Amino acid sequence: MFDYRNERFYRVFLVSFLIHNLSENRSGRKVLTLEKLELLYFIVNNPMLLKKISNAMDLGSVYGYQQDLYENGYQFSDIKSKSDAIIPFLLLTESKKVRLNDEGMIEALELPDFKSSSEFLDKNISILKKLAALNESKLVSLVSENS
């Protein structure tokens, strides 16, 4: 089976999707830093981790999760050694689609208002929004405890 998670266009799409949907909280305040983007990217690409975190925080069921489809070999140390979210973020920054503001928060400048073609992302967006609203230290703790 082909693992699309390492495909370049998927990585750009996923970073764009996360920034577009998670960069602001309900009140419009910017909440997405580069480190939080990396953590959320890591979580989305590891549905088993998303399920564990969702269960630990009682955030609801993860839609579309099938354990047999995903590798169990990802660990928290993987996120610190290599971030697949950085290159797509830099590509979007160079093309003036996103930027880091003076407070270190990510801002979408010219990202289209799009829906995902992935039911997994669309159906789990409420869980991801709750995770994006957490502070970085809480999110780091959740990822390290559950991976």
Side-chain angles (χ1 to χ4, degrees), residues 39 49 53 76 137-147:
L39 290 165
L49 177 61
I53 290 172
F76 182 65
S137 61
K138 176 69 174 170
L139 196 54
V140 167
S141 175
L142 281 168
V143 171
S144 65
E145 290 170 2
N146 290 286
S147 58

Side-chain angles (χ1 to χ4, degrees), residues 95-117:
S95 61
K96 302 198 185 317
K97 304 288 184 195
V98 300
R99 74 178 187 103
L100 281 178
N101 68 18
D102 294 337
E103 292 85 37
M105 299 294 173
I106 297 173
E107 292 182 357
L109 300 175
E110 272 191 51
L111 289 177
D113 185 14
F114 60 87
K115 288 276 188 193
S116 163
S117 61

Side-chain angles (χ1 to χ4, degrees), residues 33-51:
T33 63
L34 197 50
E35 183 174 356
K36 196 182 282 189
L37 175 65
E38 291 173 305
L39 290 165
L40 292 166
Y41 184 93
F42 184 73
I43 291 168
V44 167
N45 276 310
N46 301 290
M48 189 177 299
L49 177 61
L50 179 60
K51 182 174 173 48

